[in-house]
């Protein structure tokens, strides 16, 4: 069932309230963008997916079933929009023009993109200091010692932030798994 | 590299998601002006809805919004009409031109603008007739930008202290940069686009 916070947010969004629109963008643009990038591989097309998805959610907010979770509903819209744009681009792209960064051969499966969405969603819920440690570790591939030097904090602080972050991610991802089912 | 990660991090299902953290796409931030673009689209669609449905809107809970949007539409249309008069009276720009509208954000809710795009031998001129945007305060200035798939291009800076008409120059083809943005910048704040977006519009070529 939709949480009271989400239900209130969606109702205010449907009514066109600016703070609600900003909150929807802040909450969902990241996961939508990540899913769209996984499907389309192009930043400009992925940004288009973010806009179309949130606009479609606004248009369809009145028909949203409050007995469901909001995030999977937004996710389903995002995936549908991304696949539509994928097909549009495939139709317009001559097959000889395939280059690095172009569209994937086939869009990822529903389950796979849900995983991508879930991890991004969980990452965006982390406190900034914990998120920074995870980003430097995975994206920049720094060791804990390098992260400590980079951030100018003791090694023990990095280790504790890392441990808390992974624990928090495990909890959040567990909840997302429940929402999926 | 990953030897520091706890071995007991979550159950099998969660652990199977761990490798996704290495994906660059997971860490890309959405466009900083995306919320403004979304709001502009919602406002535009609300205005169209209102025009179509008139006063007999059936969907509950949105009537107050329609009233607000209708008021905004009146202000906007007045601005458009005024800009047409300005353009016609001054005869400038005299060439074939394309026009588009820009709407104020919550940082400048009373602002609007009509832009006339004119091709010149040295580049593209965007004549911007601004309404409702206050002059830049000391230490700040406004800057125009266009954004497209290839990135962000600055158009020029202005302050509006003695005129509401601004001429911005673009050296790039606006077909490829369809999103128009005006930001408020702080002097000494560097050349990057600030997050203080005051006007947004779609060039629509």
């Amino acid at each position: 069932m939709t949480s009271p916070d989400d239900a209130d947010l969606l109702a205010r969004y449907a009514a066109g309230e600016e703070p609600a629109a900003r909150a929807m963008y802040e909450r969902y643009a990241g996961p939508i963008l990540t899913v769209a990038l996984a499907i389309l591989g192009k930043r400009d097309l992925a940004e288009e997916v973010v806009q179309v998805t949130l606009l479609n959610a606004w248009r369809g907010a009145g028909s949203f079933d409050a007995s469901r979770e909001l995030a999977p509903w937004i996710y389903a819209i995002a995936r549908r929009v991304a696949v539509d744009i994928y097909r549009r681009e495939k139709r317009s792209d001559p097959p000889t023009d395939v280059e690095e960064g172009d569209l994937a051969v086939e869009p990822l499966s529903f389950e796979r993109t849900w995983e991508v969405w879930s991890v991004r969603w969980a990452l965006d819920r982390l406190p900034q200091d914990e998120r920074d440690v995870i980003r430097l570790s995975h994206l920049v591939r720094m060791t804990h010692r390098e992260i400590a030097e980079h951030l100018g904090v003791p090694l023990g602080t990095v280790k504790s932030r890392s441990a808390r972050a992974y624990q928090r991610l495990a909890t959040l991802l567990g909840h997302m798994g429940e929402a999926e089912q | 590299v990953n030897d520091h990660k706890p071995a007991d991090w979550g159950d099998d299902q969660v652990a199977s998601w761990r490798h996704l953290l290495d994906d660059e796409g997971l860490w890309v931030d959405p466009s900083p002006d995306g919320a403004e673009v979304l709001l502009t689209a919602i406002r535009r669609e609300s205005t169209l809805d209102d025009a179509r449905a008139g006063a007999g809107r059936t969907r509950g809970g949105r009537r107050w919004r329609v009233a607000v949007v209708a008021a905004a539409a009146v202000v906007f249309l007045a601005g458009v009409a005024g800009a047409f008069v300005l353009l016609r009276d001054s005869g400038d720009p005299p060439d074939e031109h394309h026009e588009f509208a820009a709407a104020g954000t919550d940082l400048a809710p009373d602002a609007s603008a009509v832009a006339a795009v004119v091709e010149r031998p040295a580049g593209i001129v965007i004549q911007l007739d601004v309404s409702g945007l206050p002059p830049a305060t000391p230490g700040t200035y406004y800057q125009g930008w266009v954004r497209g798939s290839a990135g962000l291009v600055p158009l020029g800076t202005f302050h509006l202290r003695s005129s509401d008409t601004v001429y911005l120059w673009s050296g790039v083809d606006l077909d490829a940069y369809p999103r128009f943005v005006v930001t408020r910048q702080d002097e000494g704040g560097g050349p990057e686009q600030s997050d203080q977006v005051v006007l947004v519009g779609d060039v629509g070529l």
Side-chain angles (χ1 to χ4, degrees):
Chain A
M1 173 176 273
T2 308
S3 71
D5 280 354
D6 278 350
D8 177 62
L9 174 61
L10 191 64
R12 290 188 295 112
Y13 185 49
E17 289 188 15
E18 283 195 20
R22 292 183 188 287
M24 287 288 286
Y25 186 84
E26 187 174 336
R27 191 176 295 188
Y28 291 107
I32 295 169
L33 185 68
T34 295
V35 164
L37 281 169
I39 291 173
L40 296 161
K42 291 183 175 180
R43 176 66 187 261
D44 58 326
L45 296 178
E47 292 282 4
E48 182 183 351
V49 173
V50 172
Q51 290 297 322
V52 174
T53 297
L54 289 173
L55 194 58
N56 284 353
W58 173 74
R59 290 172 180 148
S63 62
F64 174 69
D65 177 0
S67 68
R68 298 174 58 196
E69 294 282 342
L70 182 57
W73 183 65
I74 301 284
Y75 162 73
I77 297 172
R79 180 178 161 79
R80 190 161 56 243
V81 169
V83 170
D84 284 348
I85 290 176
Y86 171 89
R87 289 173 179 150
R88 182 193 74 194
E89 295 297 311
K90 287 287 277 187
R91 280 196 299 272
S92 62
D93 268 359
T96 52
D97 283 349
V98 176
E99 296 172 357
E100 186 179 355
D102 271 0
L103 297 172
V105 177
E106 290 296 334
L108 296 173
S109 69
F110 190 91
E111 293 74 18
R112 174 70 172 167
T113 46
W114 172 253
E115 286 182 354
V116 171
W117 168 285
S118 301
V119 175
R120 173 62 188 253
W121 173 268
L123 275 180
D124 288 353
R125 309 269 86 68
L126 292 181
Q128 190 60 49
D129 59 349
E130 294 176 14
R131 192 177 194 274
D132 288 343
V133 169
I134 300 298
R135 185 181 64 83
L136 292 170
S137 173
H138 284 272
L139 185 64
V140 190
R141 296 191 169 276
M142 286 182 174
T143 64
H144 275 173
R145 191 171 301 281
E146 289 168 338
I147 293 171
E149 289 171 4
H150 179 76
L151 296 177
V153 298
L155 179 60
T157 301
V158 172
K159 287 184 174 178
S160 60
R161 284 179 189 172
S162 176
R164 280 199 305 272
Y166 283 119
Q167 188 57 50
R168 214 184 298 271
L169 282 175
T171 304
L172 288 165
L173 288 170
H175 287 163
M176 291 299 287
E178 288 165 12
E180 182 189 12
Q181 296 156 11
Chain B
V1 172
N2 294 330
D3 56 346
H4 52 268
K5 290 172 187 164
D8 59 346
W9 183 58
D11 57 20
D12 289 345
Q13 184 186 32
V14 173
S16 74
W17 291 336
R18 183 168 45 182
H19 67 281
L20 292 174
L21 293 170
D22 296 338
D23 184 352
E24 191 177 342
L26 204 72
W27 299 94
V28 176
D29 289 326
S31 167
D33 56 16
E36 306 303 335
V37 176
L38 175 64
L39 279 162
T40 301
I42 289 173
R43 287 188 192 114
R44 183 185 300 133
E45 193 157 315
S46 298
T47 305
L48 290 173
D49 282 353
D50 188 41
R52 289 183 190 124
R57 195 173 187 89
T58 56
R59 190 170 179 179
R62 284 195 174 179
R63 291 185 179 176
W64 70 269
R65 174 168 64 83
V66 171
V68 170
V69 169
V74 168
V75 172
F76 171 75
L77 291 172
V80 171
F84 272 117
V85 169
L86 276 174
L87 288 172
R88 193 171 53 198
D89 287 350
S90 65
D92 186 16
D95 309 285
E96 282 290 317
H97 66 274
H98 163 79
E99 291 186 354
F100 67 92
T105 69
D106 69 332
L107 288 180
D110 298 328
S112 63
V114 174
V117 180
V118 186
E119 291 270 355
R120 299 285 193 195
I124 299 162
V125 179
I126 300 175
Q127 177 184 315
L128 195 65
D129 288 299
V130 183
S131 304
L133 189 62
T137 53
T140 71
Y141 59 93
Y142 295 114
Q143 183 158 8
W145 310 79
V146 283
R147 180 189 291 279
S149 57
L152 189 66
V153 175
L155 301 179
T157 67
F158 54 97
H159 54 57
L160 293 180
R161 288 175 193 142
S162 56
S163 172
D164 289 331
T165 299
V166 179
Y167 295 90
L168 301 170
W169 281 85
S170 172
V172 296
D173 186 347
L174 298 182
D175 281 338
Y177 294 83
R179 189 174 299 165
F180 174 80
V181 173
V182 172
T183 55
R184 183 184 297 127
Q185 305 280 131
D186 293 321
E187 286 184 39
E192 302 298 319
Q193 184 190 38
S194 81
D195 59 2
Q196 300 177 64
V197 177
V198 294
L199 282 170
V200 292
D202 292 321
V203 176
L205 287 175

